[in-house]
Amino acid sequence: MAVSNVKQEDNLNLQSITWGDLTWVNIEQPTEKETEYLAEKYPFHPLDLDDCLSRIQRPKIDKYREYIFMVLHFPVFHKEARVTKASQISVFIGNDYLITLHNGNLKPLVKFFKECEIDEESRQENFSEGSGYLLYRIIDRLVDYCIPISNKMLDNIEDVEDRIFSDTKRSQIKEISVLRRDIISFRRIIWPMRAVIGSLEPNVRRFSKMEMAVYFGDMVDHLDKIWDALDEYKELIEGLNDTHDSLMTNRTNKVIQLLTIISTMLLPATLVASIWGMNINLPFQETANSFIYIVLIMVSIICGMLYFFRRKKWL
């Protein structure tokens, strides 16, 4: 029977789980202390350790004789900014170890480590086939975590669509812009990940006791589905933006049309008032009901213009 062990290093943000010959070292919020510890215990290149502390690394795989180093990005939705941002995870994988370094905001990874930490059966299931299989289990959970984020994005798009057609008097351009930014950010995260995860299986094959091609192929299919969904969301939001612009333009045209008609109808009345306001002798000026006559002339002209506009179907 394999021996299991769970421990945490003093003064370090480092926890480890050992089952049999395989050790999973999990480091949250890595600092120079943790990278110095790794440099003492493992044959890692200094540049790889520096990359673990960098927040601007692109997803990549660096292959060495004794280990493989990779940087992966996964989406995390920030409620305050209302945008999906990338969270970096750095991974070192060797024959008898797997080391993950991350910020601690990837909930599936944190939950999976705690699950293996407290459950002996989970350790046996995930550790028994080698570090390559354990890596697959971690990345598969993180990829699956992208699906509810993607579904929530679709729900938001549908909500905006309903509001566009139910409340044409209120502009939804801000909501559309926020969703467009979110989709672009998500696509920027997923695009480089497809190539990196697609090339994982041949590289980690030597660290697994079983054939992993089918497992990694299924994970790549999930990524492709997410990318296809993001393509669809991009087209949807662009279509909603065009529809919103058309509705707002049509509303603006109606308002301008109404104001133009009102101005046109008031123009003859203004002309009549200006003429009868001059200091010259004009008809009806000397009568007691001159004001009523002038008003009737204005009303007659306006009614005639309204009749003309109706005949022309401008109203």
Side-chain angles (χ1 to χ4, degrees), residues 188-202:
R188 191 182 296 120
I189 296 169
I190 295 297
W191 173 252
M193 286 289 296
R194 298 171 68 205
V196 173
I197 293 180
S199 64
L200 270 181
E201 193 276 331

Side-chain angles (χ1 to χ4, degrees), residues 100-233:
T100 54
L101 303 95
H102 56 98
N103 291 329
N105 57 356
L106 292 171
K107 295 180 181 179
L109 177 56
V110 175
K111 182 179 179 181
F112 184 47
F113 184 83
K114 291 186 178 298
E115 179 183 316
C116 294
E117 188 177 30
I118 63 177
D119 188 3
E120 179 70 25
E121 292 183 2
S122 180
R123 289 198 290 272
Q124 180 178 355
E125 176 186 356
N126 295 293
F127 283 62
S128 59
E129 299 298 335
S131 57
Y133 181 75
L134 178 59
L135 175 66
Y136 157 75
R137 293 286 293 171
I138 292 172
I139 297 179
D140 186 55
R141 290 204 175 197
L142 291 171
V143 170
D144 289 343
Y145 181 63
C146 298
I147 296 176
I149 298 177
S150 173
N151 293 338
K152 179 62 176 177
M153 192 175 290
L154 178 60
D155 293 339
N156 293 335
I157 292 175
E158 291 176 348
D159 289 343
V160 170
E161 180 180 7
D162 293 339
R163 290 199 295 269
I164 286 176
F165 290 101
S166 63
D167 187 8
T168 56
K169 295 182 180 180
R170 182 178 177 185
S171 176
Q172 299 293 329
I173 190 63
K174 181 177 180 181
E175 295 297 324
I176 292 174
S177 300
V178 169
L179 283 174
R180 178 186 287 175
R181 181 185 62 170
D182 195 20
I183 293 171
I184 292 173
S185 179
F186 204 154
R187 284 167 56 88
R188 191 182 296 120
I189 296 169
I190 295 297
W191 173 252
M193 286 289 296
R194 298 171 68 205
V196 173
I197 293 180
S199 64
L200 270 181
E201 193 276 331
N203 292 308
V204 303
R205 185 181 301 163
R206 56 184 168 133
F207 301 126
S208 177
K209 299 177 183 179
M210 60 186 297
E211 178 60 40
M212 298 294 299
V214 176
Y215 293 95
F216 279 96
D218 179 69
M219 187 164 56
V220 171
D221 288 342
H222 288 176
L223 265 181
D224 288 340
K225 290 179 181 179
I226 294 170
W227 179 257
D228 291 341
L230 290 175
D231 268 346
E232 179 184 351
Y233 300 163

Side-chain angles (χ1 to χ4, degrees), residues 280-298:
I280 57 175
N281 294 326
L282 293 171
F284 310 120
Q285 281 186 339
E286 303 300 330
T287 62
N289 297 322
S290 60
F291 175 76
I292 297 176
Y293 293 145
I294 295 173
V295 171
L296 288 176
I297 293 173
M298 293 180 182

Side-chain angles (χ1 to χ4, degrees), residues 262-274 298 301-302 305:
I262 293 175
S263 300
T264 304
M265 289 188 300
L266 291 178
L267 189 61
T270 304
L271 178 63
V272 171
S274 300
M298 293 180 182
I301 295 174
I302 292 175
M305 295 182 68

